[in-house]
Amino acid sequence: MIVLGYNGFTRGAELFGRLFGATGVGRNLLVGHDAAAALTIDGKLVAAVEEERLSRVKKTSDFPANAIEWCLEFAGVGLDQVDLFAFPWRFSPAVAEEMIARICDSDLPVAEKFDALRRTGEVYTDMLSREAVYSDFVQRTGHRLDPNKLALVPHHLAHLMCGAYLAGRKDAAFLVSDGRAETLSSVMGELRDGVVHLFDESTVDMANSLGVAYGRITRYLGFVPNNDEYKVMGLAAYGPPPQHNPLLEQVVHLHEDGSYTLAIPPDPESYYPLFDALFGGDSEKREEFDFRVRVAGWAQHMVEAVTAHQMRTLTAASGQDTLLFEGGLALNCVANTKMLERSSFTGMEVSFGASDPGVAIGAAVYTSGLRNRPAEAVTTPYLGPSYDERHIREALAQYADRVAWQEQPDTASVADWTAELLAEKNVVGWFQGRSEFGPRALGNRSILANPAFPDIKDVINLRVKHREPFRPFAPVVLASEAPRVFEMGKKSTSPYMTFVFPVREEYRERIPGACHVDGTARIQTVDEQQNPALAGLLRAFTARTEVPCLLNTSFNVAGEPIVCSPQDALECFLATEIDYLVIDRFVVTKRNR
């Protein structure tokens, strides 16, 4: 069976911009963001790519026409050969009735209720309904799809199925928490023998979304909600743990069944004054670093306290040993580690597709009947485009007036040459094999550097990434070496940068560039099976320098998607102060270097 999963709406950005005043990147961040496509064939996930990597529009919510075309072309499959098309949103008539009822039962004045009904009706009719989803697919692909081949999968179920498939788990407890699904923002339960058991009493509706609350504080601090929450998480580490938290005292209400309510009004005109009163802020204070750190600490503490509350209920209701955590909140790697270490779970899995890129995978997995990953399937995030030597040579030739290159005879020579470059204070663009799926650069489209230099973080933030100087970088380390360098707790590996670990005291002075201000690091572990090229480079680098890891950050600049093609890599290389670019076997330098 061939199943294509996809996420994205053609009219999403336009409708949310016109009807709800969303501007800039915010137009893409409400429903359908992180548009992507994924293809499963006979029980195996064979291809997946985010639309932004191909369209070069960051966080796009557009219909993923390019991603669909690439997945099918990669597999040699035509649209007419696909058995089912899976879409990770199910706005059924029953869901529409609930949306209407919520507006009618609200405290809005009558005129505002009519306005909300009008806007919601237009979004439902033109974008969310089954008829709109079907019409969007036909118009954008030109393929007259049999309506019976279109499967609409509930959003949180798609999240769960992505995590379950990639973890290969038959039985596990689960928590899915994000900004919003159709009407809910968080669900929990357990997966037994491929059957989902939802703990209905613990569900949280989208009006009380923890992800949205964190996003509103993100906006309050001057960042982009549903996009820059990781900046708030990073800022929180610059201050001590809060002794008291006004959010927990006045905004968050925890309930015995594991659910919660959050008393935050929906519009900035209302929640800015609320936050100013809670935090002692104003328009000037919001620009002060110390104030931002304090507020970020409260926001992070709120997430940790609420998820701990959910964990207590989940562990009491489920006898499973392992937790699957998916959804946008699962990218909060600081909270993830605390959730695991403070719970009775012996293991916890967060997939590389935990946020909304993964729902394309999850929808395909669910629709194809794959509740668990086949035993012989290898879990890999490297599911996107790769480029052969012909494509690379053609790209280099296009920039021959600006770059020069040396070709290495084999992968061992590439590793040795790159390790020699990284032994010095050089920043290297590293481009190998198939692009990784999800929001993290996992070693195939990465910028690498030597963490032994104390100021290397500042060099990359200012000269290369063009982003805030407080932002940390993640170390990549061989899985066999990780426990020697980091305090891993219950984890033995962390291949997707979804957990944070303390750096062992004896290594903090040896890899200062990899240590966050609080002495922790969001690590990526690799081995020869998962990524032989990166593992070979780490072995060569460590043998040369005795430094056990490398800094790994995404190959892009602020506001741009991670590079996908050789042309993307060359453009980024030439527009920044990256010192060297390694594409496959080619070591590239700038002619004006």
Side-chain angles (χ1 to χ4, degrees):
M1 177 183 285
I2 301 174
V3 179
L4 178 73
Y6 73 98
N7 178 36
F9 301 87
T10 296
R11 295 195 62 197
E14 179 261 317
L15 285 170
F16 284 117
R18 176 167 56 82
L19 297 175
F20 298 97
T23 60
V25 70
R27 295 177 304 132
N28 287 320
L29 298 179
L30 295 171
V31 174
H33 58 84
D34 299 302
L39 190 69
T40 64
I41 299 179
D42 297 333
K44 182 179 180 181
L45 177 62
V46 299
V49 67
E50 291 144 280
E51 180 69 10
E52 69 165 26
R53 306 293 175 86
L54 304 173
S55 71
R56 310 308 299 160
V57 178
K58 182 75 170 175
K59 302 288 286 185
T60 184
S61 61
D62 191 17
F63 180 90
N66 296 295
I68 289 173
E69 181 180 7
W70 178 82
C71 286
L72 295 175
E73 182 181 338
F74 173 82
V77 171
L79 280 168
D80 58 342
Q81 296 175 277
V82 177
D83 296 295
L84 292 168
F85 298 84
F87 191 71
W89 296 92
R90 185 189 287 171
F91 285 90
S92 65
V95 170
E97 293 280 2
E98 185 174 342
M99 294 164 65
I100 293 169
R102 285 186 177 183
I103 294 172
C104 293
D105 293 341
S106 70
D107 295 329
L108 291 171
V110 171
E112 292 184 26
K113 285 184 179 180
F114 276 116
D115 184 55
L117 287 169
R118 175 188 61 80
R119 291 183 292 170
T120 301
E122 186 171 347
V123 171
Y124 183 83
T125 302
D126 293 358
M127 175 180 163
L128 302 178
S129 68
R130 181 182 181 85
E131 294 76 14
V133 172
Y134 174 82
S135 177
D136 197 15
F137 183 92
V138 172
Q139 291 180 17
R140 291 298 298 273
T141 64
H143 177 68
R144 182 58 61 178
L145 176 66
D146 178 350
N148 294 319
K149 288 187 174 184
L150 177 63
L152 304 185
V153 180
H155 188 71
H156 280 151
L157 183 59
H159 270 304
L160 173 60
M161 288 297 106
C162 176
Y165 176 81
L166 295 176
R169 300 293 308 183
K170 290 186 178 179
D171 296 326
F174 68 81
L175 172 64
V176 179
S177 185
D178 59 6
R180 64 158 297 165
E182 290 80 6
T183 60
L184 300 175
S185 66
S186 182
V187 297
M188 67 172 73
E190 59 182 11
L191 195 62
R192 286 186 179 272
D193 298 323
V195 178
V196 177
H197 300 274
L198 189 67
F199 299 163
D200 291 310
E201 66 278 3
S202 301
T203 60
V204 179
D205 64 32
M206 66 183 190
N208 293 290
S209 168
L210 181 61
V212 170
Y214 201 75
R216 286 171 180 161
I217 297 172
T218 299
R219 182 191 293 275
Y220 175 77
L221 293 177
F223 304 122
V224 178
N226 210 4
N227 184 67
D228 290 345
E229 281 79 356
Y230 59 93
K231 298 181 183 180
V232 178
M233 182 182 69
L235 270 175
Y238 282 83
Q243 297 301 308
H244 72 94
N245 190 335
L247 291 167
L248 296 180
E249 294 165 359
Q250 301 184 50
V251 169
V252 178
H253 304 280
L254 306 178
H255 307 303
E256 290 185 3
D257 58 10
S259 66
Y260 50 86
T261 51
L262 304 173
I264 301 177
D267 57 282
E269 292 77 11
S270 298
Y271 65 72
Y272 270 55
L274 169 66
F275 291 154
D276 279 343
L278 284 175
F279 306 141
D282 55 40
S283 57
E284 291 185 3
K285 275 190 172 295
R286 291 180 219 135
E287 301 296 322
E288 297 176 4
F289 183 76
D290 289 346
F291 178 78
R292 283 179 157 191
V293 167
R294 217 166 36 250
V295 173
W298 287 323
Q300 181 65 25
H301 185 235
M302 174 185 69
V303 168
E304 294 166 9
V306 172
T307 50
H309 167 68
Q310 293 181 289
M311 284 298 95
R312 286 189 290 271
T313 299
L314 185 55
T315 53
S318 172
Q320 302 293 343
D321 295 329
T322 299
L323 171 68
L324 301 176
F325 187 25
E326 296 290 304
L329 264 295
L331 294 185
N332 194 309
C333 50
V334 174
N336 290 351
T337 303
K338 294 178 180 179
M339 285 170 63
L340 173 59
E341 296 301 328
R342 296 172 181 175
S343 75
S344 60
F345 291 112
T346 58
M348 177 174 168
E349 302 291 340
V350 179
S351 77
F352 56 79
S355 55
D356 270 21
V359 295
I361 294 176
V365 164
Y366 177 77
T367 304
S368 61
L370 304 176
R371 299 299 188 273
N372 298 285
R373 175 171 53 86
E376 70 277 7
V378 176
T379 300
T380 176
Y382 309 110
L383 296 163
S386 64
Y387 298 84
D388 60 23
E389 187 172 301
R390 176 179 63 84
H391 286 104
I392 295 169
R393 289 187 182 278
E394 288 176 354
L396 290 170
Q398 292 175 18
Y399 295 85
D401 60 329
R402 301 169 67 188
V403 300
W405 60 89
Q406 289 184 312
E407 183 178 350
Q408 301 302 309
D410 51 44
T411 55
S413 298
V414 172
D416 288 340
W417 188 285
T418 307
E420 183 176 351
L421 297 175
L422 288 166
E424 305 299 328
K425 196 186 289 187
N426 288 310
V427 179
V428 175
W430 179 254
F431 184 108
Q432 303 289 320
R434 295 179 69 175
S435 64
E436 49 271 87
F437 187 84
R440 312 294 193 207
L442 297 173
N444 278 12
R445 302 291 186 273
S446 290
I447 293 173
L448 304 176
N450 186 342
F453 297 103
D455 63 340
I456 195 65
K457 178 172 73 77
D458 298 327
V459 170
I460 301 175
N461 272 328
L462 298 177
R463 288 174 39 197
V464 177
K465 301 284 282 188
H466 308 313
R467 65 184 199 178
E468 299 90 347
F470 63 81
R471 302 269 296 279
F473 291 102
V476 57
V477 62
L478 289 168
S480 58
E481 292 293 293
R484 182 168 64 89
V485 184
F486 305 97
E487 297 178 18
M488 301 289 288
K490 294 181 182 179
K491 298 291 291 183
S492 58
T493 62
S494 180
Y496 310 130
M497 295 187 189
T498 47
F499 293 87
V500 164
F501 306 97
V503 181
R504 293 191 182 277
E505 192 69 37
E506 61 269 30
Y507 280 94
R508 292 185 184 181
E509 291 186 0
R510 294 177 61 181
I511 54 171
C515 296
H516 198 17
V517 65
D518 60 354
T520 64
R522 185 193 69 189
I523 76 170
Q524 177 197 358
T525 58
V526 297
D527 57 33
E528 296 285 355
Q529 181 182 20
Q530 185 187 53
N531 194 322
L534 185 57
L537 173 59
L538 279 165
R539 292 190 191 283
F541 176 75
T542 301
R544 180 178 294 274
T545 64
E546 297 186 353
V547 178
C549 58
L550 285 166
L551 286 190
N552 173 20
T553 187
S554 55
F555 197 161
N556 65 335
V557 297
E560 294 289 330
I562 298 173
V563 302
C564 183
S565 70
Q567 287 87 350
D568 299 335
L570 285 160
E571 286 287 348
C572 186
F573 173 58
L574 290 167
T576 63
E577 294 185 52
I578 295 174
D579 299 296
Y580 296 90
L581 170 61
V582 180
I583 303 184
D584 195 44
R585 294 185 296 109
F586 299 87
V587 179
V588 185
T589 57
K590 298 168 185 171
R591 289 194 178 275
N592 64 352
R593 176 175 167 78

